[in-house]
């Protein structure tokens, strides 16, 4: 029996680690096909030991994992493995970040403007006494809300009783804390030294990098919605950005992007079937989560895309058309096409 390491890329080609994918499960068609190819390659060969057989199988699997995959828009399973499990660490040959962009490049980006607003107001009023639930005090929340850049689905919020009534505000305070710019000590909010430096000296590329890494690697995207975990939507953020690079240079409808995502990660449909979603098929359920979490609350918020919304007569939802921004093309330098 050929051994597959728990932390090896799954032979099914998903790009996930074996322990997070097909370990202990019925092998999917892609893995079954690979196993058939491996059996054919081994047929007629003689090995002196099990270790020798495993070494041959590992070399065979690794060679297959380096082959570009249509479902991954030309990326190999090995490249997908790095995007999913080693973002910002082992991905520079796939994508690099331009750390030399001038501070002006970050102006007008919603998450940056909101961060500067919050930090600036806190600098004027610190220390702020937290509420009994540990939130920012209501007068401060209302003051920030009046100038906050809001996602379309929260524009109707004008009256609040707590920061938790505004998901984007609640998430912003948490994000800035995780970034190391806001702290709460003895039930009082104040700026950290790094937070105060931003207020005094301005926002630079290293600060945006901190925001990006914190939001993608530490902040829980499910914090702002009621969808089930569906962690692959967040874990695959770098592949999602590659997807935008390949498909969203011009306007593309959000559903088309969701279809590409589901083609790359069809296993998530099985996850969706475990949750009750009245009147929604798994495909639509996951597509909605992908659109909200990835396209709107990440890519649009971070200035990577613009989204044109088109009303549908007789419906409460809009059609959304997505296109990458100049900032996206400047900030992310793709080494693969």
């Amino acid at each position: 029996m050929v051994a597959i390491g728990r932390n090896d890329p799954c032979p099914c080609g998903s790009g996930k680690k074996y322990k997070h994918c097909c370990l202990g499960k019925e092998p999917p068609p892609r893995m079954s096909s690979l196993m058939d190819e491996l059996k054919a390659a081994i047929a007629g060969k003689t090995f002196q030991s099990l270790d020798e057989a495993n070494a041959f199988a590992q070399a065979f699997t690794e060679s297959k994992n380096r082959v570009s995959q249509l479902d991954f828009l030309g990326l190999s399973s090995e490249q997908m493995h790095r995007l999913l499990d080693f973002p910002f660490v082992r991905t520079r040959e796939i994508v690099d970040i331009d750390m030399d962009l001038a501070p002006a490049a970050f102006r007008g980006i919603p998450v940056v403007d909101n961060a500067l607003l919050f930090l600036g107001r806190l600098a004027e009023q610190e220390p702020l006494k937290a509420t009994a639930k540990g939130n920012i005090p209501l007068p401060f929340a209302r003051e920030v809300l009046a100038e906050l850049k809001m996602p379309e689905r929260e524009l109707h919020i004008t009256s609040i009783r707590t920061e938790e009534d505004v998901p984007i505000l609640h998430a912003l305070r948490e994000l800035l804390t995780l970034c190391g710019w806001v702290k709460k000590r003895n039930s009082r909010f104040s700026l950290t030294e790094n937070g105060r430096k931003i207020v005094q000296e301005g926002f630079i590329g290293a600060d945006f990098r901190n925001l990006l890494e914190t939001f993608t690697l530490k902040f829980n995207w499910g914090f702002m919605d009621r969808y089930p975990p569906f962690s692959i939507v967040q874990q695959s953020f770098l592949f999602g950005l590659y997807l935008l690079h390949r498909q969203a240079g011009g306007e593309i409808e959000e559903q088309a992007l969701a279809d590409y995502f589901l083609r790359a990660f069809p296993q998530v449909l099985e996850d969706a079937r475990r949750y009750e979603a009245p009147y929604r098929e798994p495909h639509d359920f996951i597509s909605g989560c992908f659109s909200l979490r990835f396209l709107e609350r990440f890519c649009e918020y971070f200035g990577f895309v613009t989204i044109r919304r088109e009303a549908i007569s007789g419906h409460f939802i809009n059609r959304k058309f997505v296109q990458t921004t100049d900032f996206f093309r400047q900030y992310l330098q793709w080494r693969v096409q």
Side-chain angles (χ1 to χ4, degrees), residues 260-272:
Y260 280 112
F261 169 79
L262 286 167
R263 194 175 305 160
F265 305 106
Q267 303 94 328
V268 75
L269 293 172
E270 293 302 318
D271 296 337

Side-chain angles (χ1 to χ4, degrees), residues 54-72:
N54 279 330
F56 176 87
Q58 183 172 353
F60 179 88
T61 302
E62 288 175 354
S63 69
K64 288 295 182 180
N65 282 337
R66 290 192 292 268
V67 175
S68 64
Q69 301 287 331
L70 183 61
D71 288 346
F72 299 158

Side-chain angles (χ1 to χ4, degrees), residues 76-95:
S76 68
S77 296
E78 192 274 335
Q79 287 173 317
M80 180 69 89
H81 173 56
R82 281 186 280 144
L83 290 179
L84 293 178
D85 293 310
F86 303 99
F88 306 121
V89 178
R90 290 173 51 188
T91 55
R92 287 195 64 178
E93 70 178 56
I94 303 171
V95 61

Side-chain angles (χ1 to χ4, degrees), residues 115-238:
L116 290 174
L117 170 64
F118 192 105
L119 296 175
R121 291 292 185 270
L122 183 54
E124 297 168 356
Q125 302 178 39
E126 63 178 345
L128 280 178
K129 183 172 174 53
T131 67
K133 292 185 66 175
N135 295 326
I136 56 177
L138 184 57
F140 182 83
R142 286 173 172 166
E143 181 180 339
V144 173
L145 176 62
E147 298 182 52
L148 203 65
K149 286 192 173 179
M150 303 274 283
E152 183 181 82
R153 66 181 64 238
E154 294 179 30
L155 287 175
H156 67 283
I157 301 175
T158 56
S159 176
I160 63 171
R161 294 170 296 176
T162 170
E163 71 171 63
E164 295 179 21
D165 290 341
V166 189
I168 196 70
L169 176 58
H170 192 38
L172 178 64
R173 193 259 296 170
E174 178 69 16
L175 176 61
L176 298 181
T177 302
L178 290 173
C179 282
W181 299 337
V182 172
K183 63 183 178 181
K184 183 170 65 174
R185 299 287 187 274
N186 299 319
S187 297
R188 282 173 168 76
F189 291 101
S190 61
L191 295 177
T192 65
E193 182 177 341
N194 288 332
R196 193 165 291 108
K197 182 178 179 180
I198 290 174
V199 173
Q200 294 171 350
E201 300 180 13
F203 192 93
I204 61 175
D207 300 320
F208 190 83
R209 175 68 177 253
N210 187 12
L211 268 177
L212 178 62
E213 292 196 13
T214 300
F215 190 80
T216 54
L217 302 182
K218 298 179 182 178
F219 181 78
N220 177 9
W221 289 7
F223 184 76
M224 294 188 289
D225 63 49
R226 297 180 180 179
Y227 279 100
F230 298 145
S231 59
I232 190 61
V233 175
Q234 180 168 353
Q235 186 184 4
S236 66
F237 76 93
L238 266 183

Side-chain angles (χ1 to χ4, degrees), residues 5 16 18-19 48 52 60 68 91 96 110 127 129 139-140 147 151 157 174 225 234 272 275-276 283 295 301-302:
K16 294 183 180 181
Y18 181 50
K19 67 183 180 182
Q48 299 302 313
E52 184 181 345
F60 179 88
S68 64
T91 55
D96 200 7
K129 183 172 174 53
F140 182 83
E147 298 182 52
I157 301 175
E174 178 69 16
D225 63 49
Q234 180 168 353
Y275 297 95
E276 293 185 7
H283 180 279
L295 293 177
Y301 196 37
F302 274 73

